[in-house]
Amino acid sequence: MTFSLDDLPIREDLRGMKPYGAPQAALPVALNVNENTHPVPAEVAGDILDAVALALQDVNRYPDREFTGLREAFAGYLGHGLTRENIWAGNGSNEVLQHVLQAFAGPGRTAFSFAPTYSMYPLLTRGTGAQWIAGSRDHDYTVTPESAAAQIAEVQPDVVFLCAPNNPTGTPMSLEVIEAAYEASPGIVIVDEAYQEFAPRDTASAITLLPGRERLAVSRTMSKAFAFAGARVGYLAADPALIDALRLVRLPYHLSALTQAAATAALAHADVMLGMVDEIVAQRDRISATVEALGYRAHESWTNFVLFGGVDDPAATWQALYDRGVLIRDIGIPHHLRVTAGTEAETSAFLDALASLESGV
């Protein structure tokens, strides 16, 4: 006898929900989930292996529950006078965001963001029993301070997610918008800066807004700029009081000794790891210019991907690229597709494949 979810006593608010699931396929060029497609440099990989080997000597013991060394390393990387007391981390930034929701949302509470935005926000929200409320963006996917404040004041959410720059559109968000959102919000405001390292170098981070704002948090990830997606490490900066709240909901020893060792070793080589960012940005801008030349519309992007519109049939275009060995993402925005900026060779393969569709090759 075969059973389905409907045969189980699952929570009613989870019935009908779909899990997150970007396609995973063994294609020559995979540019669909915004990974850093560059491998970890050999000299850094060697130090990471040494650190993990050393950690293995004590793997029979529980790891440092407070992951003190890693928090100090993150504080040093972020700067701005932060200390380890301002830092939290988890197995990917999704777990960090889940901790925030577990502590400040939950049944009878609400979480909010401006759609379209990162698809995990509503999934994480509903998974913690809270209600998801979607606001709106302008036609170019921007949000003004006035609009942000008005929408948040009307909804009065317990948690506000601000994806800056935004996924899946790549749109930047100004500090003025973040300040307006914070002032209008009665609850926690979390700025998701997963792609901050790909923004222009002179762009100020929301971390500069933390002093005096005990309800503000800024999350980051090592998955993108640090080419560490497989290691699953995300982190957050906030007032120490907010960090204390997250301790109430985390699982004991949630970061393994091996994860702590690998991430700390990688952070020690931040300059080398981030050396890939300039090349990725160059390929991103190359994609934008070329898809425009092919007759599509590339939206402004401060990330490692490009959302482009003017696609008559996104499903057909996606399939045609797939058939040519190139995997990109249909994120559900009508007449749009999204592609990650990969290496120069991967970018060329995508652009050549896209151009071949236009020529009928």
Side-chain angles (χ1 to χ4, degrees), residues 69-87:
L70 180 57
R71 287 164 58 214
E72 289 176 346
F74 278 131
Y77 168 68
L78 292 176
H80 297 288
L82 296 174
T83 71
R84 70 187 187 199
E85 304 305 320
N86 298 106
I87 303 297

Side-chain angles (χ1 to χ4, degrees), residues 291 294 296 308 317 321 349-359:
V291 298
L294 291 173
Y296 301 99
F308 61 99
T317 300
L321 291 170
F350 160 69
L351 293 173
D352 290 346
L354 188 64
S356 75
L357 304 185
E358 300 299 313
S359 63

Side-chain angles (χ1 to χ4, degrees), residues 87 99 107 218 255:
I87 303 297
H99 287 162
V218 182
L255 276 179

Side-chain angles (χ1 to χ4, degrees), residues 6-299:
D6 291 336
D7 298 310
L8 299 175
I10 193 171
R11 283 167 32 192
E12 287 301 320
D13 60 317
L14 293 182
R15 289 192 184 278
M17 288 182 61
K18 301 292 185 184
Y20 176 89
Q24 289 186 303
L27 293 187
V29 180
L31 301 173
N32 66 319
V33 288
N34 303 340
E35 297 159 317
N36 183 335
T37 64
H38 296 67
V40 173
E43 64 270 31
V44 182
D47 280 359
I48 292 172
L49 286 171
D50 289 344
V52 170
L54 186 62
L56 277 171
Q57 296 179 13
D58 295 316
V59 79
N60 59 307
R61 302 289 188 178
Y62 285 116
D64 175 8
R65 185 176 58 241
E66 292 299 313
F67 45 98
T68 308
L70 180 57
R71 287 164 58 214
E72 289 176 346
F74 278 131
Y77 168 68
L78 292 176
H80 297 288
L82 296 174
T83 71
R84 70 187 187 199
E85 304 305 320
N86 298 106
I87 303 297
W88 190 248
N91 295 285
S93 59
N94 285 327
E95 184 177 61
V96 172
L97 300 179
Q98 184 179 60
H99 287 162
V100 173
L101 288 164
Q102 288 174 317
F104 297 102
R109 295 193 172 199
T110 58
F112 172 92
S113 191
F114 304 102
T117 192
Y118 182 37
S119 60
M120 278 302 299
Y121 297 157
L123 291 177
L124 290 169
T125 297
R126 292 164 184 153
T128 59
Q131 179 188 3
W132 173 254
I133 301 174
S136 62
R137 295 173 176 269
D138 290 340
H139 69 280
D140 60 355
Y141 304 122
T142 60
V143 180
T144 66
E146 296 76 17
S147 176
Q151 292 186 61
I152 291 170
E154 179 180 358
V155 173
Q156 292 287 288
D158 297 284
V159 176
V160 173
F161 290 104
L162 302 176
C163 197
N166 188 49
N167 178 17
T169 64
T171 316
M173 177 174 283
S174 70
L175 294 186
E176 289 75 20
V177 171
I178 296 169
E179 290 177 297
Y182 184 86
E183 293 303 319
S185 173
I188 299 299
V189 175
I190 181 161
V191 184
D192 183 352
E193 289 191 340
Y195 299 93
Q196 178 63 26
E197 284 91 348
F198 299 99
R201 292 292 174 84
D202 59 351
T203 303
S205 163
I207 290 170
T208 60
L209 301 178
L210 287 176
R213 294 181 173 89
E214 77 284 356
R215 294 180 289 107
L216 182 66
V218 182
S219 69
R220 295 277 187 98
T221 180
M222 294 187 75
S223 294
K224 312 302 180 182
F226 274 85
F228 231 50
R232 311 307 304 128
V233 184
Y235 56 107
L236 172 151
D239 187 272
L242 194 152
I243 303 300
D244 280 341
L246 304 184
R247 288 188 173 91
L248 299 176
V249 297
R250 60 100 177 266
L251 294 173
Y253 312 106
H254 71 289
L255 276 179
S256 77
L258 306 185
T259 297
Q260 293 182 43
T264 303
L267 283 167
H269 294 278
D271 55 341
V272 176
M273 298 291 277
L274 294 176
M276 298 174 281
V277 168
D278 288 342
E279 180 180 344
I280 294 168
V281 167
Q283 297 308 316
R284 177 198 71 197
D285 294 344
R286 177 185 170 208
I287 290 171
S288 295
T290 305
V291 298
E292 290 269 356
L294 291 173
Y296 301 99
R297 179 195 173 192
H299 292 274

